[in-house]
Amino acid sequence: MSNKKVAGTCYIKVDGDQLAVTGGVEAPLTDVEREAFKTSAGVHYSETDVIPYVKVECVVPKDFPREAITKNDDLTVTAEFANGNVYVLSGGFLVNPAALKGDDGKVELEFNGEKGIWQ
């Protein structure tokens, strides 16, 4: 029997600390972004590198590793998706303001890093 599960619970670890994921988890499938343009000689494209990243929404319990996540700039972020795919971001650091929402106790985090590898 084959595994046809493609969505469901995802797991995120930041330097070994597991976060309580509540929303979506996102990681890039490609290392480059292509933009097409048309010329008199046909369609061509340019390529730019994509910065490796992991985006996640999670709840913030009392023991949330806030200082480690907000201060460190060499994190390893591991995203395990429900379909079994795993994305590992190395040299990671938090980007964009991360604000804790008091009404639901959640925070949206975005990590960028040096290298992202699908395993």
Side-chain angles (χ1 to χ4, degrees), residues 13-67:
K13 287 187 179 179
V14 177
D15 277 0
D17 288 323
Q18 186 163 324
L19 304 182
V21 176
T22 61
V25 175
E26 181 181 321
L29 288 176
T30 62
D31 295 334
V32 295
E33 181 178 338
R34 294 182 179 148
E35 183 176 344
F37 56 93
K38 187 167 175 73
T39 69
S40 58
V43 176
H44 302 278
Y45 66 89
S46 63
E47 247 180 25
T48 56
D49 292 334
V50 170
I51 295 173
Y53 69 90
V54 172
K55 293 180 184 178
V56 62
E57 180 182 84
C58 56
V59 296
V60 179
K62 187 172 184 160
D63 62 347
F64 184 78
R66 182 186 52 79
E67 189 157 326

Side-chain angles (χ1 to χ4, degrees), residues 61-82:
K62 187 172 184 160
D63 62 347
F64 184 78
R66 182 186 52 79
E67 189 157 326
I69 287 174
T70 59
K71 304 276 187 211
N72 292 341
D73 62 1
D74 191 23
L75 298 167
T76 299
V77 181
T78 305
E80 182 182 335
F81 291 81

Side-chain angles (χ1 to χ4, degrees), residues 15 51-52 72-77 88-95 111-116:
D15 277 0
I51 295 173
N72 292 341
D73 62 1
D74 191 23
L75 298 167
T76 299
V77 181
V88 179
L89 178 70
S90 58
F93 49 91
L94 189 64
V95 296
F111 299 95
N112 284 185
E114 293 292 325
K115 190 171 188 177

